[in-house]
Amino acid sequence: MTTTMAQALNAALRDALKDDDRVLVFGEDVGALGGVFRVTDGITADFGENRCFDTPLAESGIVGFAVGMAMGGFRPVVEMQFDAFAYPAFEQITSHVAKLRNRTRGALSLPMVIRIPYAGGIGGVEHHCDSSEAYYTHTPGLRVVTPGTAQDAYDLLRDAIDSPDPVVFLEPKARYWSGEDVTFTRTGPAMDKAVVRKTGTDVTLIAYGPMVATAMETAEAAKDEGWDVEVVDLRSLSPFDDETVTASVRRTGRAVVVHEAAGFGGYGAEVVARVTEQCFHQLHAPVLRVTGLDIPYPAPKLERHTLPDVDRILDTIARLQWNDTPVVAGA
């Protein structure tokens, strides 16, 4: 039976609520409405208003309240509703959520999850669509994860709720309605591990969140160009799984990083730096990026012009110096 990403997230929340009385779900419109994207649909009806409830429209207050709840022994799961709506809570996240364990020398931890629907693909404008992952990954003390599949949506959210550390959980809005067969048994890889979605020999596509499906489409289309493309889904943006990523790039000798966020200062720059530093002598060409444009998310009819697509990724793969000989250490 096909399960959408939104349904998988709903199932993860339900199972967490069943398994642990300390888990609470709250945020704007997550109660009777079931959330803007219906991720919390029916949870209040089934678990009661003490376990899943609405809050005032005050993101800083939502996160601040969650900090107190986590300090008091609960495991809050809060929803920010939209990516750019989370910015009023940014001070709470960076100054308190990320630093409390360090500030108390390990005496206190914050086992809480901040769910943020993020990125584009739904025709929203800048306050309803943003790719803010670099802000959170730049902040020590936060785990940052993002699912690219419905199965990972379930597995990662269950792991995030169980984590002793605060987790920023980025949910790609455009993939909420994409589905697959999902196994609700938590047999997947650890939360901080990347996975190879498709093996290949010629080039590694490194993607995450909303771009995983696009990378897989590109890998299929690349066969017509004679390229055998490997796809790595990062899953965890912080911490970063150097081992899986660099092993793939060393095998293929080429890499392209794909993300929807703007390119300048974007998360992909960190990935390029790490891959270049660790795989320099195995690279046949510089590591390239395919990113969103350095502009706010545009009006709905223009959005497709800024989001990376199969053609842009294929054009970038074509620039990878296919006629050059790799540099070999000591040669």
Side-chain angles (χ1 to χ4, degrees):
M1 179 179 177
T2 298
T3 301
T4 67
M5 182 177 286
Q7 291 169 334
L9 293 166
N10 183 280
L13 291 171
R14 288 174 176 275
D15 288 348
L17 287 162
K18 290 176 186 175
D19 291 348
D20 191 340
D21 291 339
R22 298 172 299 171
V23 175
L24 303 174
V25 177
F26 52 93
E28 298 168 6
D29 296 321
V30 302
L33 179 65
V36 172
F37 299 100
R38 301 301 184 265
V39 170
T40 55
D41 189 35
I43 292 181
T44 296
D46 292 342
F47 290 89
E49 294 182 349
N50 290 331
R51 303 291 305 281
C52 180
F53 52 89
D54 292 332
T55 64
L57 305 182
E59 287 78 12
S60 181
I62 294 170
V63 174
F65 179 53
V67 169
M69 296 293 282
M71 291 175 66
F74 290 91
R75 288 181 173 267
V77 182
V78 302
E79 180 183 301
M80 292 288 96
Q81 197 170 73
F82 286 97
D83 30 42
F85 288 12
Y87 296 146
F90 195 68
E91 192 276 334
Q92 289 280 358
I93 295 170
T94 58
S95 294
H96 303 292
V97 174
K99 295 182 173 63
L100 191 65
R101 182 188 288 277
N102 183 72
R103 183 180 298 141
T104 63
R105 298 184 181 180
L108 287 174
S109 61
L110 288 182
M112 58 183 285
V113 179
I114 303 170
R115 293 181 42 242
I116 304 177
Y118 89 117
I122 64 167
V125 291
E126 68 269 16
H127 290 105
H128 295 79
C129 285
D130 206 355
S131 291
S132 47
E133 59 266 33
Y135 301 138
Y136 302 112
T137 58
H138 185 68
T139 305
L142 299 176
R143 288 180 177 268
V144 184
V145 300
T146 178
T149 67
Q151 181 66 60
D152 261 358
Y154 179 85
D155 292 340
L156 286 173
L157 186 52
R158 291 301 310 276
D159 289 347
I161 294 171
D162 285 348
S163 173
D165 300 308
V167 180
V168 175
F169 195 91
L170 300 172
E171 302 170 6
K173 295 191 290 284
R175 305 302 178 190
Y176 272 139
W177 303 279
S178 61
E180 61 182 312
D181 291 335
V182 175
T183 303
F184 303 110
T185 55
R186 302 180 66 184
T187 57
M191 181 172 64
D192 59 354
K193 292 296 182 182
V195 297
V196 177
R197 295 288 177 198
K198 177 192 173 297
T199 59
T201 58
D202 295 330
V203 56
T204 298
L205 283 187
I206 303 169
Y208 56 87
M211 287 291 107
V212 172
T214 305
M216 293 295 287
E217 293 171 16
T218 303
E220 185 64 28
K223 294 177 182 177
D224 294 336
E225 305 296 330
W227 298 315
D228 187 11
V229 174
E230 182 152 303
V231 177
V232 175
D233 177 359
L234 293 181
R235 301 173 76 247
S236 173
L237 305 186
S238 180
F240 186 82
D241 183 2
D242 288 287
E243 182 180 3
T244 300
V245 174
T246 56
S248 174
V249 176
R250 288 182 181 122
R251 285 195 302 271
T252 64
R254 293 179 173 85
V256 174
V257 183
V258 183
H259 64 66
E260 193 175 304
F264 188 85
Y267 181 79
E270 173 66 22
V271 180
V272 171
R274 298 178 83 91
V275 169
T276 301
E277 289 169 0
Q278 297 177 65
C279 304
F280 181 78
H281 293 295
Q282 289 80 34
L283 288 172
H284 298 209
V287 182
L288 301 180
R289 290 177 292 166
V290 183
T291 73
L293 303 182
D294 293 334
I295 60 172
Y297 276 74
K301 290 184 178 180
L302 299 175
E303 186 183 41
R304 62 186 176 85
H305 296 294
T306 187
L307 302 183
D309 58 17
V310 171
D311 288 339
R312 283 180 59 194
I313 299 173
L314 288 175
D315 288 346
T316 302
I317 292 175
R319 293 167 44 209
L320 288 172
Q321 301 180 11
W322 291 94
N323 294 325
D324 286 1
T325 301
V327 176
V328 178

